[in-house]
Amino acid sequence: MPELPEVETTKLGIVPHIHHNVVDKVIIRHPRLRWPIPKNLDATLKNQRVNNILRRGKYILINFPKGTLLIHLGMSGRLKILSENIPPQKHDHVDILFTNHKILRFTDPRRFGAILWTSDNPCEHVLLKNLGPEPLSAKFSGNFLFQKTRNSKIAAKKFLMDSKNVVGVGNIYAAEALFLAGIHPELSVNQLTLVQCNKLVTAIKKVLKMAIKKGGTTLKDFSNSNGEPGYFSLKLKVYGRQKLPCFKCKTILENRRLGQRATVFCPKCQAFKKY
DNA sequence: CAGAATACCTGCGGGC
DNA sequence: TGCCCGCAGGTATTCT
């Protein structure tokens, strides 16, 4: 489900309910995720107060006095806030019960998500320490992208989706940003001109900001943190529109598999050309 | 070393 | 109706 905007939306959704609140207990129903949920999480979190809640890439970091809970939603993970204890469903893995009677429930049918605990600086955690810059930060600039891409022939879309280069850009927004920038998804990144790097960075920021503003692009299995059905308001220009006409030029959009991921683009607006 | 392939899961929709 | 296939928003690990 989630790319950066969805994770950000989820984070924003849970913050008002759990910020500065105290954990009463943790109930682990299904510990198997990408890695097992730490067995002693109840003992670890009990009576601890939430200091703050951050996002880094697609990770949600819930900081406590003794350490940080790292949460990744994988492909199908969801976090919901419950105000009453609704009976758990099949794929509800964990409940974190707070003393204010709010419950943070983690659900993940495909189990690609993760819930981990670290008592050290979370930025030094093995999963976080090699992450690239935040796409909405000043560090992620056209110059940065240009400089990072000089020695690689990797396809532009694959480069964007690699979190070592930039975090938070997944299959949907990579395709959307490349369309906005008029860049072919298979273009080798060392072919990108500085002008194209600037356009691409601008496009990424624009599409992510817009999606955050709309509350995250949501597909069939996304619910926001209140358990409401997600929004469908962000109009995707290429993702999921294969064989349909391009909004700009009416050319039929093409779908290719790139690194086993569906990759939709306009062969005319995103032709291999330089600026 | 970079880059590609594989693996981890469940659920759903389409074709037969 | 039911079975089989391919596909789904991610990414660590293994391979070439």
Side-chain angles (χ1 to χ4, degrees), chain A residues 22-123:
Chain A
V22 175
V23 174
D24 183 27
K25 64 174 169 177
V26 179
I27 299 171
I28 301 175
R29 299 197 173 84
H30 306 295
R32 288 191 55 193
L33 291 173
R34 174 181 275 274
W35 299 281
I37 298 170
K39 293 198 270 297
N40 54 353
L41 202 55
D42 177 58
T44 306
L45 292 183
K46 202 178 183 70
N47 298 326
Q48 282 209 73
R49 187 180 294 273
V50 174
N51 273 338
N52 58 18
I53 302 138
L54 305 169
R55 179 190 56 73
R56 173 74 176 105
K58 294 173 187 167
Y59 291 87
I60 292 173
L61 286 64
I62 304 181
N63 180 249
F64 293 90
K66 290 189 213 160
T68 304
L69 198 64
L70 306 178
I71 300 177
H72 195 291
L73 301 177
M75 288 275 245
S76 56
R78 276 173 289 162
L79 282 172
K80 286 184 196 173
I81 295 286
L82 309 178
S83 296
E84 54 184 306
N85 201 338
I86 297 164
Q89 309 281 301
K90 191 175 178 183
H91 300 294
D92 292 343
H93 288 78
V94 182
D95 279 0
I96 299 177
L97 290 74
F98 289 85
T99 54
N100 67 349
H101 304 299
K102 295 289 174 77
I103 300 171
L104 182 65
R105 178 169 287 179
F106 180 86
T107 309
D108 187 6
R110 288 178 74 182
R111 299 204 256 123
F112 291 163
I115 296 183
L116 298 168
W117 173 259
T118 176
S119 47
D120 297 324
N121 177 0
C123 298

Side-chain angles (χ1 to χ4, degrees), chain A residues 157 171 175-176 178-179 183-186 237-247 249-258 261-272:
Chain A
K157 177 156 172 279
N171 202 36
E176 294 298 309
L178 286 162
F179 174 78
I183 294 166
H184 196 291
E186 291 173 324
K237 300 249 185 350
V238 285
Y239 181 86
R241 297 197 64 248
Q242 59 274 18
K243 298 181 185 168
L244 295 172
C246 171
F247 285 129
C249 76
K250 309 298 177 202
T251 301
I252 297 302
L253 298 178
E254 216 177 302
N255 186 201
R256 274 185 212 178
R257 277 193 103 65
L258 219 172
R261 308 303 296 272
T263 301
V264 184
F265 66 103
C266 173
K268 187 173 172 191
C269 297
Q270 295 171 265
F272 288 107

